[in-house]
Amino acid sequence: MKTKKVIISFIILLYTAAVPFLEINNSHVFNPDWTPHAKIHEVWQLLTNSSIGILCLWLVWVKKEIKTSIILSMLVTGGFLLSYSLKDLYGGSMKYLDGSEKTILGINIGVVGFGISFMLLLLVHLKNLNTKKFGDYLK
């Protein structure tokens, strides 16, 4: 059980702390080329996701309730993956204005990180469904 909590907590810390650390700078929140409207959406997203993450950590470590934490974390990480997949429909991009992009092995770092995170959350969720009686898992 502790391994599951550590895995879930690490993923939560990615979107609760790592993403704000990477985005509260001149490339995002303080980017002079961004419109004020886009900046408010960015800060709103950061605050919302970080608040969800804090709730998820409390659920995992205090309430000992990982199901809701997994589902909320899958919504956050999956939301990024879906928005990345749909980027051509709304003119989005993960590239900076200079054309550069943070990548690992040629794949966007967010897609790699949140893709792995989403899959790990799904695996932990499915493992819980298989190892517990369904009624016990709903508690």
Side-chain angles (χ1 to χ4, degrees):
M1 180 67 148
K2 186 164 180 149
T3 302
K4 291 179 199 175
K5 288 181 174 184
V6 170
I7 291 169
I8 295 166
S9 297
F10 177 76
I11 292 166
I12 292 167
L13 289 173
L14 286 178
Y15 68 81
T16 302
V19 170
F21 177 78
L22 293 171
E23 295 187 2
I24 300 175
N25 57 46
N26 288 341
S27 70
H28 287 75
V29 173
F30 299 111
N31 188 329
D33 295 319
W34 282 23
T35 65
H37 186 86
K39 290 179 182 186
I40 201 123
H41 280 281
E42 171 68 7
V43 172
W44 174 22
Q45 171 258 315
L46 291 171
L47 289 170
T48 300
N49 288 352
S50 293
S51 297
I52 291 168
I54 291 167
L55 171 65
C56 287
L57 288 171
W58 178 77
L59 286 169
V60 167
W61 292 100
V62 177
K63 295 297 280 183
K64 313 267 189 268
E65 210 294 39
I66 66 169
K67 181 182 131 187
T68 303
S69 182
I70 288 172
I71 292 169
L72 289 170
S73 295
M74 287 178 75
L75 289 171
V76 172
T77 57
F80 169 80
L81 295 170
L82 184 58
S83 67
Y84 183 87
S85 298
L86 299 173
K87 69 185 183 316
D88 293 339
L89 294 176
Y90 62 90
S93 176
M94 288 297 288
K95 292 185 179 181
Y96 294 103
L97 293 176
D98 66 2
S100 66
E101 182 176 10
K102 290 184 177 163
T103 62
I104 298 173
L105 301 172
I107 302 169
N108 177 272
I109 193 169
V111 172
V112 172
F114 283 156
I116 292 169
S117 296
F118 188 88
M119 294 306 295
L120 283 171
L121 290 165
L122 183 61
L123 289 172
V124 170
H125 179 67
L126 292 173
K127 183 164 174 44
N128 277 345
L129 286 177
N130 290 333
T131 59
K132 291 185 175 185
K133 293 178 189 172
F134 188 71
D136 292 341
Y137 189 62
L138 294 176
K139 292 180 183 176

